[in-house]
Structures are given as structure tokens and as C-alpha cells.
């Protein structure tokens, strides 16, 4: 099915998340990287991953977001002027705990640093709030437990939260979504990815997860990654075959409308974000079955229904989390 009501995209901003299959290890920070076509597979550590030019609540979330800064010249066109510049960028997290910023219009990743979160769990998913703080889900390999950390998108420093995760919610898809009338009033929505089937939609409420409801129709029990929008909408990336993008009712968990995305692989490690009017999907196969293949980036453009499965290929590292705040640009920068 096609997602309807695209006339609202001009009122749109975004936030996001992801899911994974494992990983932990170190490297350093600072260099822009990119990858496309056959050049993407060389590297992924310390420097370029193929040269590509331009074109191509225990915790309270979002309180006071954007009140003390301006967007500056981020190259992001429509970034909310109440937000700091960093809040307009996409961020991704690798299987090896490396945090990158990502400029989709330039096909450029820039390494920020290696997360030093004090845990023996594996990184699984990520969302970014309006203060440009990344919220990272770590989970045990057997899904017996999970936790959330807050991570600086400036230097990758990490601090724990008071949100232990268990009972079906240890491994999550995550995304912030705000209200159009109050952009700074956002909530962190989660999708329970533990076990088979998944247990649907929830939200972080104080130090715990409050269940919202199961997904409906053919997507009941399916696993999803989430991305939210500044006009109060929430979307899921469902790893069905073919994969599907669906708008989700935040009050009930029911599917409003969905669309098939033929050509985008059904992944083992995955994430997605909305930025500049388009959706970006980060997918990789099982690393044991295809050790040399890293993440591909595909773009879905709702304005014309086009799917570019070769937007970037084999970028040199495996993405397990991605996020972008509701301060993100509403249109692709010109």
C-alpha cells in the first residue's frame, strides 16, 4: 500500500533509531568518510571509506530543547531556529561502538568518536532528541536484559540512565516524536524487538516502558525500527519480505498505512531515519554469512515514490543504530 497524506510533508521534521545483531570494539575520531558503489568497501576505520563528493522518564526528554541556541549555518536549510546546529544532523552508530554524523545530501560520514559506555552488552539501537543527545539501547545477546545510555553527539561521551529494560523490552527500535503545536514536547517511542513475535509499540515513561499496543494487520508481531516527526507522526521500518515502511498510530500502535519497498534487502543489522523530505535505510546482511559486506544506504523519496537501493553501497562499517532529531530540515538543502 502507498502511504497517504504526503501533502503534510512541508510540516515535517524527524527523529529515529535502529536494530542490530552484535558488536563492540575501538577506534578514534574526526575524519569525514563516504562510500558509494564499488569504492565503499575499503576502510571504515580512521579516514575515508571511498571518496564521494557532494550531491549524490526517570529521564525527561526534550525539556527546554533549543531554547538557548540557533541553528547557525548547518547547510540544512529548514532547521528549526530554536535548535542548536548539531540537532539538524543525522547520526549513526556502528557495530563497533563508533559514532558518526551523516550528511545524506553529501553522502558523507564523519567520525565523532568511540562510545565508552560502561557495559558488556551490545549496541542495538539509537534515537536523537532535540538537544542533540543520542539515546542508545544496549542489549544482552540472549535478550535477557537491556539498558539505555545518553551519548553526546559532540564528543561521544556516555552516561547511564535509570531505565533498565527487561520483560520483552530489552532489545528495542526507538524514535523520538514531537507534537506539531509544541515541537519541544517530545516522547521517546520504542518497539519491542525481543523474541518472536515482537510485542508492539511502547514509550519510555519515567524509568520504565509503558506498553501502547500491538501493531495491527499483517504487521502484528513484526519487528520494527522507528522514526518520529516534528508534526507528531511516527513511522516504522518493518523487516518483512519485502520490507515495509508504515505510519503508526502513537495512541494505539495500530498501522495507519504502509508501503512495500521492493529491492531493499531484508537485513540482519538495520536502522533508518527521515531527513530533508526523504527516508534513508541502513541495511546489512548477517555478518557470518557475508563477512565482507558492510552497510548499504537506500533512499525512499515519498514525493515521487522512487526507491534508490544504490544510494551508497558497502560503506565500510556496519550500522546498528541511527537517529535524527525533530530539528532536522524539512526539505533537501538546495
Amino acid at each position: 500500500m502507498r502511504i497517504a497524506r504526503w501533502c503534510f510533508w512541508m510540516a515535517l521534521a524527524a527523529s529515529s533509531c535502529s536494530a542490530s545483531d552484535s558488536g563492540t570494539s575501538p577506534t578514534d575520531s574526526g575524519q569525514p568518510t563516504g562510500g558509494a558503489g564499488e569504492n565503499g568497501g575499503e576502510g571504515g576505520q580512521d579516514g575515508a571509506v571511498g571518496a564521494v563528493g557532494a550531491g549524490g522518564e526517570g529521564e525527561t526528554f526534550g525539556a527546554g530543547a533549543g531554547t538557548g541556541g540557533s541553528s547557525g549555518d548547518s547547510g540544512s536549510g529548514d532547521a528549526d531556529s530554536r535548535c542548536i546546529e548539531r540537532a539538524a544532523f543525522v547520526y549513526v552508530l556502528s557495530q563497533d561502538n563508533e559514532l558518526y554524523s551523516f550528511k545524506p545530501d553529501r553522502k558523507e560520514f564523519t567520525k565523532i568518536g568511540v562510545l565508552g559506555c560502561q557495559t558488556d552488552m551490545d549496541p542495538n539501537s539509537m534515537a536523537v532528541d532535540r538537544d542533540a543527545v543520542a539515546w542508545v539501547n544496549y542489549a544482552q545477546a540472549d535478550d535477557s536484559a537491556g539498558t539505555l545510555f545518553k551519548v553526546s553527539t559532540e564528543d561521544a561521551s556516555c552516561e547511564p540512565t535509570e531505565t533498565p529494560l527487561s520483560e520483552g523490552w530489552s532489545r528495542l527500535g526507538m524514535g523520538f516524536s514531537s507534537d506539531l503545536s509544541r515541537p519541544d514536547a517530545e516522547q521517546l517511542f520504542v518497539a519491542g524487538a525481543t523474541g518472536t513475535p515482537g510485542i508492539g509499540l511502547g514509550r519510555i515513561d519515567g524509568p520504565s516502558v509503558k506498553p501502547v499496543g500491538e501493531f495491527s494487520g499483517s504487521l502484528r508481531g513484526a519487528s520494527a525500527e522507528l522514526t518520529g516527526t516534528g508534526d507528531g507522526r511516527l513511522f516504522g521500518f518493518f523487516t518483512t519480505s519485502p520490507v515495509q515502511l508504515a505510519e503508526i498510530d502513537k495512541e494505539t500502535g495500530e498501522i495507519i498505512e504502509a508501503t512495500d519497498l521492493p529491492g531493499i534487502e531484508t537485513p540482519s543489522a538495520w536502522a533508518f531515519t527521515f531527513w530533508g523530505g526523504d527516508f534513508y535505510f541502513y541495511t546489512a546482511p548477517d555478518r557470518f554469512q557475508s563477512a565482507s559486506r558492510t552497510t548499504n544506504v537506500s533512499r525512499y523519496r515519498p514525493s515521487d515514490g522512487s526507491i534508490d537501493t544504490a544510494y551508497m553501497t558497502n560503506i565500510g562499517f556496519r550500522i546498528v543504530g541511527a537517529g535524527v532529531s525533530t530539528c532536522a530540515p524539512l526539505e533537501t538543502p538546495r
Side-chain angles (χ1 to χ4, degrees):
M1 294 181 287
R2 258 316 150 204
I3 293 178
R5 298 185 290 138
W6 294 115
C7 57
F8 289 103
W9 285 106
M10 292 304 293
L12 198 61
S15 99
S16 173
C17 61
S18 110
S20 81
D21 56 3
S22 88
T24 39
S25 100
T27 43
D28 60 1
S29 68
Q31 299 299 321
T33 70
E38 297 177 353
N39 296 324
E42 301 296 324
Q45 302 178 23
D46 304 330
V49 188
V52 178
E57 238 128 16
E59 306 292 335
T60 301
F61 302 111
T67 57
S70 65
S71 62
D73 181 13
S74 66
S76 300
D78 303 303
D80 191 324
S81 62
R82 295 168 296 179
C83 300
I84 61 175
E85 181 179 352
R86 292 197 320 277
F89 299 144
V90 176
Y91 296 92
V92 302
L93 177 64
S94 81
Q95 173 183 290
D96 295 326
N97 276 304
E98 300 159 339
L99 182 67
Y100 295 80
S101 64
F102 176 45
K103 296 180 179 179
D105 56 332
R106 299 183 185 181
K107 299 184 178 181
E108 181 180 274
F109 292 94
T110 300
K111 189 182 293 184
I112 296 168
V114 180
L115 275 59
C117 301
Q118 299 301 303
T119 179
D120 60 359
M121 300 182 191
D122 297 328
N124 174 70
S125 186
M126 184 170 72
V128 176
D129 67 25
R130 288 176 64 85
D131 292 319
V133 174
W135 296 76
V136 178
N137 168 225
Y138 282 82
Q140 293 281 16
D142 63 1
D143 294 336
S144 60
T147 190
L148 291 177
F149 286 86
K150 294 193 297 183
V151 174
S152 167
T153 56
E154 186 171 21
D155 60 11
S157 59
C158 184
E159 63 178 282
T161 70
E162 297 178 359
T163 309
L165 301 170
S166 60
E167 298 179 356
W169 299 99
S170 61
R171 188 177 299 275
L172 304 172
M174 304 195 299
F176 280 94
S177 182
S178 61
D179 192 306
L180 181 59
S181 62
R182 294 183 58 206
D184 59 341
E186 59 184 7
Q187 290 183 309
L188 179 53
F189 287 88
V190 296
T194 301
T196 303
I199 56 178
L201 185 68
R203 60 182 175 85
I204 300 297
D205 186 8
S208 61
V209 178
K210 180 178 180 179
V212 172
E214 294 185 34
F215 301 128
S216 59
S218 64
L219 294 176
R220 184 181 298 274
S223 295
E225 277 299 351
L226 304 177
T227 190
T229 67
D231 69 346
R233 302 168 80 186
L234 184 70
F235 292 88
F237 171 27
F238 290 85
T239 56
T240 51
S241 185
V243 301
Q244 294 181 67
L245 172 68
E247 184 177 357
I248 301 167
D249 188 317
K250 295 190 300 186
E251 301 299 320
T252 65
E254 293 185 355
I255 301 302
I256 297 173
E257 288 200 71
T259 186
D260 292 341
L261 300 175
I264 297 179
E265 65 186 323
T266 301
S268 175
W270 69 97
F272 89 128
T273 53
F274 172 85
W275 187 90
D278 301 329
F279 288 98
Y280 293 86
F281 299 83
Y282 316 93
T283 62
D286 189 304
R287 67 190 187 284
F288 298 111
Q289 296 178 357
S290 183
S292 62
R293 242 299 306 282
T294 59
T295 290
N296 288 349
V297 182
S298 301
R299 183 186 66 192
Y300 171 59
R301 178 159 282 171
S303 60
D304 60 14
S306 63
I307 303 171
D308 184 353
T309 59
Y311 192 75
M312 298 177 73
T313 60
N314 209 23
I315 64 171
F317 57 94
R318 288 170 61 86
I319 292 173
V320 299
V324 60
S325 85
T326 55
C327 296
L330 312 180
E331 297 180 280
T332 302
R334 295 177 177 82

